[in-house]
Amino acid sequence: MDDSQKLMAAVWQSVKTIVEEEAIKLGKEVTPAFTSSLAEVVYSQMGIMAADLEAFANHGKRTGISMEDVKLCARRNESMLEILSDTAKEIMDEKKK
């Protein structure tokens, strides 16, 4: 099993766990096909986000990805941007201690 297959298996397992927890909370049943499809979407989005993050860092002439790069990826999702901004602030506050 190569690294991409291992990553896909880990994504699938994480998605399966979350889907099962949410299904129980909502009193719904989900099919394995739904879980597999959702895992494929998540895996695909991870690849897109990774490429975007790398492009943002390269554009900024940096070798590493910064919190600002991550927030830039989330700029079209206001709730995600708010969560990331709050988390970034908490991290910075912790570093100051």
Side-chain angles (χ1 to χ4, degrees), residues 1 4 6 10 15 17 20 24 26 28-30 35 40 44 49 54 59 63 68-69 74 81 88-89 92-94:
M1 187 180 271
S4 65
K6 288 177 186 175
V15 168
T17 300
E20 288 173 351
I24 290 169
L26 297 171
K28 302 287 182 181
E29 291 186 31
V30 293
T35 302
E40 287 180 28
S44 175
M49 186 173 193
E54 192 172 349
H59 180 74
T63 56
E68 292 306 311
D69 296 327
L81 182 57
K89 185 178 181 317
M92 294 306 291
D93 290 345
E94 281 293 316

Side-chain angles (χ1 to χ4, degrees), residues 3-71:
D3 288 343
S4 65
Q5 290 171 323
K6 288 177 186 175
L7 180 58
M8 182 59 191
V11 169
W12 184 86
Q13 185 59 48
S14 294
V15 168
K16 180 178 182 280
T17 300
I18 293 168
V19 165
E20 288 173 351
E21 289 171 0
E22 292 302 313
I24 290 169
K25 286 181 196 175
L26 297 171
K28 302 287 182 181
E29 291 186 31
V30 293
T31 64
F34 171 81
T35 302
S36 292
S37 295
L38 184 57
E40 287 180 28
V41 169
V42 169
Y43 185 80
S44 175
Q45 285 300 116
M46 286 172 49
I48 292 167
M49 186 173 193
D52 287 348
L53 288 168
E54 192 172 349
F56 294 148
N58 287 340
H59 180 74
K61 296 179 179 37
R62 288 177 274 104
T63 56
I65 294 168
S66 72
M67 179 58 75
E68 292 306 311
D69 296 327
V70 175
K71 289 177 3 185

